[in-house]
Amino acid sequence: SKQCAQRYAMIGDLLSNGEHDIVLLQEVWSEKDFLGLKKKLAFSHPHSHYFKSGVIGSGLAIFCKHRIHDTFLYRYSLNGYPYMAHHGDWFGGKAVGMAIIQIGNLTANVYVTHLHAEYCREKDSYLPHRVVQAWELQQFIRHTSAGADAVILGGDLNMHPQDLGTRLLRSYTGLRDAYLETSQFDGCEDGMTLIADNPFINKKELVPFEKGIRIDYILFKGSQKAEVHCDFMYTTKGSVPEKPFPYSDHEALTADLRLKPLIAQGTTHDNNDSSKVAELVDILTEARTEVKVGLHCAERMRYTATRTGIMGLALLILELAIAAVPWLALGAEQPFPRTSFYLLAALCCTILITTFLLYLFYTMELKSLQGAEDQMRLAVGGLQERLRGVSVDHTPLRKPPEGEEPSAFDTEK
């Protein structure tokens, strides 16, 4: 990264003023940089955690004024392709990190994440992976935040507000967008977090959005024990006063969240709103379609890898057969130079090893996509049952005693 050391120093200076209770960072790829920030913020944010994952790390970090009682990291099952080294997402081990924080008498589950980048809007080959990541993210949040009084998610989702993954995440979890909920906002136009005027970005990546895009979010929700409101939100606006360059290629988001404890009344929210359930069914159906597109693509790539491997194996067998001629026909000379023989053998072995590894990778990708599609199918079935208002008897069937015929009223009959 350009001017990396100087920018970390600027970020440290910004955070050390103690304005923020909780700080969520992404793309802190070097643990050395995290330790540098930790040392600089030791007084203003004494509690911190760095989430380690993948080859070079998840890049996720959290700094907090309040004590962090527990942390957990979930790594997404799909995260790009290892042979797309110039993109680098696969090596980063994209994940979601969770921290349980006690704020007064309230327990807050704070999540930080970074999803796979888009790179090309028109030909987004990573869309199925990002949809599965959004699905796993909402599952992780729902299943781990049941006992939380407040839930906060911050990070680079690499998705526009109306993208499928964003709608899936917000609809399923009930998380609210701080930009849409805030009473006051001060920042870039339309809340954009990746703007064209930033010197650290490639403007071609913003096509067809000339001014910029909004792909970074602070999402939140309350519970029966606490209400959460966003009173004020602002973003940085590119350049930093008296500095030659901005903090990052993305704009920083700051939200002022107000937590209001409630008196427990023992009532539950109505989760059977037919319009919301119908919207969820539509979103999940759309998500299943995208996952199936990814399935077909992975199956095609695995078939290509298999076919290429078979061709390499056939070529290797043919070469070995030719090499065996001098042994079978005594006195015969080698039909081609030894150097060429070794080079061709090395090429065949390289093809076999590469295609075998690709076959394994695409098989794992297929299973992850199939698993996500199966989960979505079950979820759609459950939602459709709620829409119809059908109560299904899940009592397991019982076999009659041996020698006794099932009666006319037997469930099995």
Side-chain angles (χ1 to χ4, degrees), residues 132 135 284-285 287-293 295 366-380:
V132 172
W135 170 255
L284 271 178
T285 302
R288 287 183 66 192
T289 302
E290 290 296 342
V291 171
K292 287 177 180 177
V293 170
L295 271 170
L366 271 171
K367 290 189 179 298
S368 296
L369 288 168
Q370 289 168 348
E373 202 277 330
D374 289 342
Q375 294 167 8
M376 292 178 184
R377 175 173 49 80
L378 290 172
V380 168

Side-chain angles (χ1 to χ4, degrees), residues 300-321:
R300 188 169 62 250
M301 295 300 291
R302 186 172 71 166
Y303 172 75
T304 301
T306 303
R307 187 175 58 181
T308 306
I310 292 174
M311 292 173 60
L313 180 62
L315 184 61
L316 182 61
I317 293 173
L318 178 61
E319 184 186 12
L320 292 175

Side-chain angles (χ1 to χ4, degrees), residues 8 11-51 59-69 71 97-101 103 110-112 152 154:
Y8 268 114
I11 292 172
D13 293 338
L14 172 68
L15 299 178
S16 61
N17 61 21
E19 179 184 357
H20 306 84
D21 289 285
I22 302 171
V23 178
L24 305 175
L25 300 179
Q26 302 89 52
E27 295 193 8
V28 185
W29 301 122
S30 170
E31 190 172 0
K32 181 180 178 182
D33 292 324
F34 166 76
L35 294 175
L37 279 176
K38 182 178 181 179
K39 183 177 180 181
K40 193 165 190 175
L41 303 178
F43 179 75
S44 61
H45 298 82
H47 309 288
S48 61
H49 186 75
Y50 184 67
F51 296 94
L60 305 176
I62 179 171
F63 292 88
C64 188
K65 288 183 178 181
H66 309 276
R67 178 171 294 280
I68 299 174
H69 290 276
T71 60
M98 177 190 75
I100 299 178
I101 300 172
I103 304 176
V110 180
Y111 301 87
V112 56
I152 301 170

Side-chain angles (χ1 to χ4, degrees), residues 51-353:
F51 296 94
K52 302 174 183 178
S53 175
V55 179
I56 59 176
S58 68
L60 305 176
I62 179 171
F63 292 88
C64 188
K65 288 183 178 181
H66 309 276
R67 178 171 294 280
I68 299 174
H69 290 276
D70 199 2
T71 60
F72 188 76
L73 179 79
Y74 174 77
R75 183 174 175 180
Y76 298 123
S77 60
L78 291 174
N79 187 38
Y81 306 100
Y83 52 81
M84 301 293 281
H86 58 294
H87 287 163
D89 293 75
W90 186 85
F91 297 93
K94 296 292 180 67
V96 51
M98 177 190 75
I100 299 178
I101 300 172
Q102 194 73 26
I103 304 176
N105 294 325
L106 299 177
T107 301
N109 277 27
V110 180
Y111 301 87
V112 56
T113 191
H114 187 186
L115 302 191
H116 199 293
E118 187 174 65
Y119 295 109
C120 180
R121 185 76 175 174
E122 296 179 355
K123 298 180 180 179
D124 188 6
S125 58
Y126 298 112
L127 179 57
H129 285 209
R130 203 159 47 253
V131 169
V132 172
Q133 287 182 346
W135 170 255
E136 293 178 345
L137 175 59
Q138 66 83 17
Q139 280 191 314
F140 181 74
I141 292 175
R142 284 194 302 114
H143 293 308
T144 58
S145 64
D149 302 321
V151 178
I152 301 170
L153 167 65
D156 178 5
L157 300 185
N158 275 312
M159 298 184 294
H160 297 234
Q162 294 305 317
D163 281 358
L164 172 60
T166 310
R167 289 185 283 121
L168 177 65
L169 173 64
R170 291 190 56 203
S171 298
Y172 235 109
T173 59
L175 289 169
R176 295 168 359 197
D177 189 343
Y179 173 71
L180 300 177
E181 299 287 336
T182 184
S183 305
Q184 301 179 53
F185 176 77
D186 180 24
C188 298
E189 181 182 354
D190 298 326
M192 293 183 296
T193 61
L194 198 63
I195 60 176
D197 294 335
N198 194 299
F200 294 124
I201 69 167
N202 182 1
K203 293 184 179 180
K204 293 180 180 179
E205 296 177 358
L206 295 178
V207 175
F209 307 97
E210 297 180 356
K211 293 184 178 180
I213 54 179
R214 184 164 80 96
I215 57 176
D216 302 88
Y217 300 84
I218 296 176
L219 308 176
F220 65 90
K221 71 173 182 178
S223 65
Q224 296 179 27
K225 295 182 180 179
E227 288 182 352
V228 183
H229 302 276
C230 184
D231 293 335
F232 182 61
M233 183 179 183
Y234 65 91
T235 70
T236 52
K237 302 177 183 179
S239 60
V240 180
E242 302 179 359
K243 299 291 182 181
F245 41 77
Y247 296 107
S248 172
D249 55 340
H250 290 235
E251 301 306 315
L253 283 70
T254 298
D256 225 352
L257 301 179
R258 173 166 48 89
L259 276 64
K260 179 183 177 182
L262 299 175
I263 300 175
Q265 299 177 347
T267 58
T268 58
H269 297 286
D270 183 14
N271 293 323
N272 293 309
D273 187 339
S274 58
S275 61
K276 291 183 179 180
V277 175
E279 181 186 5
L280 268 177
V281 170
D282 292 339
I283 293 174
L284 271 178
T285 302
E286 187 179 350
R288 287 183 66 192
T289 302
E290 290 296 342
V291 171
K292 287 177 180 177
V293 170
L295 271 170
H296 292 313
C297 181
E299 287 173 347
R300 188 169 62 250
M301 295 300 291
R302 186 172 71 166
Y303 172 75
T304 301
T306 303
R307 187 175 58 181
T308 306
I310 292 174
M311 292 173 60
L313 180 62
L315 184 61
L316 182 61
I317 293 173
L318 178 61
E319 184 186 12
L320 292 175
I322 295 173
V325 169
W327 297 91
L328 299 176
L330 298 177
E333 295 182 358
Q334 184 63 254
F336 51 82
R338 182 172 296 182
T339 303
S340 300
F341 174 81
Y342 289 143
L343 288 175
L344 187 58
L347 176 62
C348 293
C349 291
T350 302
I351 292 174
L352 284 174
I353 294 172

